DNA sequence: CTAGGGTTAG
């Protein structure tokens, strides 16, 4: 019976489509038309897509988006292209929104789509969705893909899920060196150095990225010496390997080591890039080496490194921290594009130089340009007021933080205000502020109070501040030297002798201080 | 025409 039916319908099919001379001509005609129609639409979509991705390459995201909205027909590549653009301009909410629009339009996501989605949820609250995205990936049978797999691994590592990380790895069908590197990197991000090292040792093949990943992992886990010893073993070091190690030294505040390594890098004929230069300038700023900073600046100009916001901000910061505020301002003014960090750096620089009024002027100019201040801006601004003796201005801006700008005052801001009152000799106001704080005082806040007491030889509050610090951190060097100073000035010599004795017994060392005069000199 | 691993600033 079944055979018969099938046969009969087959006959019917043959009869109507193939053997009916009457229907052949018009059918054929219509099919060709539809085919031509589809071909032109397809070509159209591809050319639209090409135009949109060209816009994105020139970072014209607005233009790309309006083109995307105008498209008569969108395919999966159109969506992937715009999703990738939105992802690059750090707009994860919009990525998810467009992704849902795509789903509603009935288009099925592919490997590209999911790689982008996974990259978008990194470092956002949306990363809790990673296991759900993983489930979706499995339903679409994309979990065996090397691309989706490594994107998934990175997402799991970012979400702090080690089990998810290894699961995603083992689901990849043909693991390549990139997949293995993602595993090493993921374990390192989770702080599992042993697992990472074991993975590295058992990898079927290693490239320079594998080595750099390992070095970077040890740096992230504060094992700088271990990182250096592995770095030394890399045979084909490239710019990134060098930069990772240099920036590692900067992160652990070993600025001179960073500069020495930079010299070795230049000697090894590896061309630094903007990442390298940023790190090196940070090292110069860290050890107040204006001379090396100037040399690095010249080198950036000489090699024609393209204009970059982060690089220029590093320059501004380097000059400001090395004492050349005019050069800092010159670089700052020459910047084509400035962002919040650039403004913060300039305002901080003026503050450090005691130019409170200039800091306030820049703050006003920044707001006029439409740049919204953040918590860092206020730390710099309040400390500028403190260093410039602008008590009333400081108070005004401290109060405006929450009311005008919706920024909650944190410990650092309170520390700035305590410092401001302390310097101005208004220690009663400083004490009052500490008592009114919505949280417990930290070392910085008590330290600021202690500094003010030292400046104005206030024994009673100074003891209170010293107690505050000692509760949190025993034998802090600043406490001893400051108390010694205060009591000395008040003529309480018996206490001074006692403190000096304690200082020696506990082997408390005075803190190191930097100077613009004795900055390190490096032969290039 | 679109996607995966290692690098920068306040």
């Amino acid at each position: 019976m079944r055979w018969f039916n099938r046969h009969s319908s087959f006959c019917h099919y043959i009869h109507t489509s193939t053997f009916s001379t009457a229907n052949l001509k018009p059918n054929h005609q219509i099919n060709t038309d539809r085919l031509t129609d589809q071909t032109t639409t397809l070509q159209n979509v591809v050319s639209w897509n090409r135009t949109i991705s060209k816009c994105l390459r020139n970072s014209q995201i607005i233009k790309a988006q309006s083109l995307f909205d105008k498209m008569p027909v969108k395919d999966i590549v159109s969506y992937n292209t715009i999703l990738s653009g939105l992802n690059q301009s750090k707009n994860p909410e919009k990525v998810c929104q467009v992704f849902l629009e795509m789903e509603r339009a009935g288009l099925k996501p592919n490997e590209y789509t999911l790689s982008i989605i996974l990259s978008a949820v990194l470092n956002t609250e949306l990363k809790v969705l990673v296991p759900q995205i993983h489930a979706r990936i499995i339903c679409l049978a994309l979990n065996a893909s090397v691309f989706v797999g490594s994107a998934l691994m990175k997402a799991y590592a970012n979400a702090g899920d080690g089990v998810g990380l290894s699961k995603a790895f083992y689901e990849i069908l043909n693991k390549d060196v990139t997949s293995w590197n993602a595993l090493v990197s993921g374990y390192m991000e989770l702080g599992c150095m042993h697992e990472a090292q074991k993975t590295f040792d058992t990898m079927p093949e290693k490239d320079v990225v594998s080595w750099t990943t390992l070095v970077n992992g040890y740096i992230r886990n504060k094992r700088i010496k271990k990182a250096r010893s592995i770095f030394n073993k890399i045979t084909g070091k490239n710019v990134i390997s060098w930069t990772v190690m240099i920036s590692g030294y900067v992160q652990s505040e070993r600025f001179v080591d960073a500069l020495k390594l930079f010299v070795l890098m230049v000697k090894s004929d590896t061309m630094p890039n903007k990442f390298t230069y940023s790190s090196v300038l940070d090292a110069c700023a860290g050890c107040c080496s204006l001379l090396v900073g100037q040399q690095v600046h010249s080198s950036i100009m000489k090699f024609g490194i393209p204009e970059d916001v982060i690089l220029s901000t590093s320059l501004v910061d380097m000059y400001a921290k090395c004492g050349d505020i005019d050069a800092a301002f010159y670089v700052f003014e020459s910047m084509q594009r400035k962002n919040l960090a650039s403004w913060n750096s300039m305002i901080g620089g003026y503050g450090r130089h005691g130019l409170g009024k200039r800091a306030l002027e820049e703050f006003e100019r920044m707001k006029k340009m439409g740049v919204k201040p953040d918590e860092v801006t206020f730390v710099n601004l309040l400390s500028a007021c403190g260093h410039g003796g602008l008590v009333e201005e400081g108070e005004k801006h401290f109060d405006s933080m929450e009311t005008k700008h919706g920024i909650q005052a944190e410990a650092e801001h309170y520390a700035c205000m305590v410092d401001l009152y302390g310097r101005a000799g208004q220690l009663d106001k400083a004490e009052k502020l500490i008592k009114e704080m919505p949280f417990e005082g930290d070392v910085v806040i008590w330290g600021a109070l202690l500094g003010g007491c030292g400046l104005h030889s206030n024994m009673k509050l100074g003891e209170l501040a010293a107690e505050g610090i000692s509760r949190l951190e025993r034998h802090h060097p600043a406490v001893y030297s400051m108390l010694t100073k205060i009591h000395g000035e008040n003529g309480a010599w018996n206490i001074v002798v006692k403190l000096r004795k304690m200082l020696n017994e506990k082997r408390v060392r005075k803190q190191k201080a930097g100077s613009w005069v004795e900055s390190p000199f490096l032969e290039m």
Side-chain angles (χ1 to χ4, degrees):
Chain A
M1 195 55 181
R2 264 163 61 196
W3 278 105
F4 176 79
N5 279 343
R6 220 185 241 191
H7 187 241
S8 104
S9 61
F10 181 62
C11 281
H12 176 76
Y13 171 73
I14 291 171
H15 178 76
T16 52
S17 334
T18 317
F19 291 97
S20 162
T21 341
N23 285 336
L24 188 63
K25 193 92 202 253
N27 268 350
H28 180 75
Q29 199 63 46
I30 288 161
N31 281 341
T32 320
D33 275 359
R34 198 179 292 155
L35 213 70
T36 319
D37 236 36
Q38 281 177 356
T39 313
T40 46
T41 314
L42 217 66
Q43 278 170 352
N44 246 326
V45 173
V46 172
S47 68
W48 278 90
N49 291 344
R50 244 196 281 268
T51 315
I52 292 173
S53 72
K54 204 177 275 177
C55 289
L56 291 173
R57 266 197 301 277
N58 302 326
S59 47
Q60 296 174 296
I61 178 78
I62 311 272
K63 198 174 166 194
Q65 207 168 347
S66 78
L67 280 170
F68 176 78
D69 292 337
K70 282 187 202 126
M71 278 181 89
V73 182
K74 300 173 180 106
D75 69 355
I76 185 69
V77 181
S78 326
Y79 277 101
N80 291 341
T81 308
I82 200 71
L83 284 170
S84 159
L86 292 167
N87 186 35
Q88 276 158 28
S89 52
K90 294 197 176 71
N91 198 340
E93 290 86 10
K94 191 83 182 154
V95 169
C96 291
Q97 188 197 318
V98 175
F99 175 66
L100 291 175
E101 274 171 29
M102 189 190 94
E103 301 248 60
R104 268 184 236 117
L107 281 163
K108 201 170 98 180
N110 64 13
E111 292 176 71
Y112 289 79
T113 324
L114 284 149
S115 303
I116 298 163
I117 299 296
L118 284 166
S119 152
V121 299
L122 296 175
N123 301 311
T124 69
E125 60 283 358
L126 294 165
K127 69 184 167 198
V128 296
L129 296 174
V130 171
Q132 294 186 45
I133 300 171
H134 189 180
R136 186 79 205 284
I137 287 167
I138 293 172
C139 290
L140 291 160
L142 295 175
N143 53 332
S145 146
V146 275
F147 284 95
V148 177
S150 40
L152 193 55
M153 288 164 71
K154 190 174 186 177
Y156 269 123
N158 189 258
D161 184 345
V163 178
L165 169 72
S166 54
K167 263 191 193 164
F169 175 72
Y170 286 107
E171 282 171 16
I172 298 172
L173 194 61
N174 296 311
K175 300 167 185 65
D176 62 8
V177 65
T178 300
S179 323
W180 283 93
N181 290 342
L183 191 61
V184 174
S185 173
Y187 280 137
M188 280 299 195
E189 185 167 350
L190 294 168
C192 308
M193 282 181 273
H194 191 72
E195 287 295 314
Q197 182 70 57
K198 220 168 68 187
T199 305
F200 180 82
D201 293 337
T202 54
M203 283 172 73
E205 58 161 316
K206 298 174 184 68
D207 60 9
V208 65
V209 180
S210 323
W211 285 91
T212 310
T213 305
L214 195 68
V215 170
N216 194 36
Y218 280 114
I219 289 170
R220 280 198 285 185
N221 288 284
K222 314 269 176 221
R223 295 277 302 275
I224 191 84
K225 275 190 92 169
K226 178 84 179 161
R228 179 60 191 263
S229 81
I230 292 161
F231 172 82
N232 288 340
K233 286 187 195 138
I234 306 179
T235 45
K237 298 182 189 71
N238 63 15
V239 212
I240 303 183
S241 327
W242 286 99
T243 307
V244 163
M245 197 63 233
I246 291 170
S247 106
Y249 275 131
V250 175
Q251 281 162 44
S252 29
E253 302 191 317
R254 291 177 51 171
F255 306 116
V256 179
D257 285 324
L259 293 180
K260 281 182 182 161
L261 195 64
F262 176 63
V263 175
L264 285 182
M265 176 187 177
V266 173
K267 282 183 180 159
S268 79
D269 281 328
T270 312
M271 182 64 192
N273 61 18
K274 59 179 181 178
F275 298 93
T276 324
Y277 281 120
S278 275
S279 304
V280 172
L281 287 168
D282 215 20
C284 297
C287 58
C288 297
S289 184
L290 180 61
L291 193 74
V292 182
Q294 286 167 333
Q295 286 175 314
V296 171
H297 190 179
S298 311
S299 168
I300 290 166
M301 308 300 264
K302 196 165 105 187
F303 291 121
I305 304 291
E307 158 99 34
D308 177 78
V309 196
I310 297 182
L311 184 57
S312 302
T313 303
S314 303
L315 269 172
V316 171
D317 197 55
M318 181 277 293
Y319 278 122
K321 284 184 177 153
C322 294
D324 193 343
I325 192 69
D326 294 327
F329 185 63
Y330 178 81
V331 174
F332 180 72
E333 281 302 285
S334 70
M335 286 173 76
Q336 299 289 317
R337 251 186 64 234
K338 301 177 179 75
N339 64 15
L340 183 56
S342 329
W343 286 97
N344 287 347
S345 191
M346 195 65 240
I347 293 169
Y350 278 128
R352 199 172 294 109
H353 285 258
L355 300 165
K357 277 200 72 142
R358 283 292 295 129
L360 289 170
E361 280 166 24
E362 288 305 329
F363 177 65
E364 294 305 325
R365 195 153 73 102
M366 172 187 135
K367 285 193 291 185
K368 219 171 269 174
M369 300 281 283
V371 180
K372 296 252 177 294
D374 69 352
E375 62 282 352
V376 180
T377 316
F378 280 100
V379 169
N380 289 349
L381 197 66
L382 297 176
S383 99
C385 291
H387 288 267
L390 304 166
V391 181
E392 278 176 31
E393 296 283 3
E395 278 177 332
K396 194 187 96 188
H397 285 105
F398 181 69
D399 292 337
S400 79
M401 273 181 67
E402 294 183 45
T403 54
K404 258 196 194 165
H405 301 96
I407 298 163
Q408 277 283 321
E410 289 159 50
E412 260 190 298
H413 302 105
Y414 278 95
C416 288
M417 290 308 287
V418 170
D419 181 70
L420 180 139
Y421 288 134
R423 283 170 193 271
Q426 304 182 15
L427 291 164
D428 47 331
K429 278 199 181 176
E431 191 188 1
K432 189 163 165 270
L433 193 68
I434 291 182
K435 281 182 179 155
E436 287 171 0
M437 273 191 325
F439 37 72
E440 285 294 304
D442 64 6
V443 178
V444 186
I445 291 172
W446 288 118
L449 184 65
L450 185 65
C453 294
L455 210 59
H456 296 92
S457 308
N458 186 321
M459 266 203 292
K460 204 171 139 267
L461 259 186
E463 289 282 0
L464 182 79
E467 270 175 42
I469 295 177
S470 303
R471 266 203 305 276
L472 301 161
E473 202 174 309
R474 293 181 70 78
H475 313 306
H476 195 286
V479 172
Y480 289 92
S481 51
M482 198 57 86
L483 282 181
T484 309
K485 180 178 176 290
I486 298 172
H487 286 104
E489 279 162 357
N490 280 278
W493 296 111
N494 53 337
I495 301 180
V496 171
V497 172
K498 212 171 92 188
L499 280 166
R500 289 238 171 95
K501 218 177 134 204
M502 276 171 78
L503 212 100
N504 287 330
E505 274 170 13
K506 308 283 181 202
R507 294 169 154 240
V508 180
R509 292 272 185 93
K510 271 198 167 189
Q511 273 179 311
K512 281 182 192 164
S515 161
W516 289 334
V517 183
E518 295 169 39
S519 58
F521 179 80
L522 233 78
E523 250 178 83
M524 305 284 279

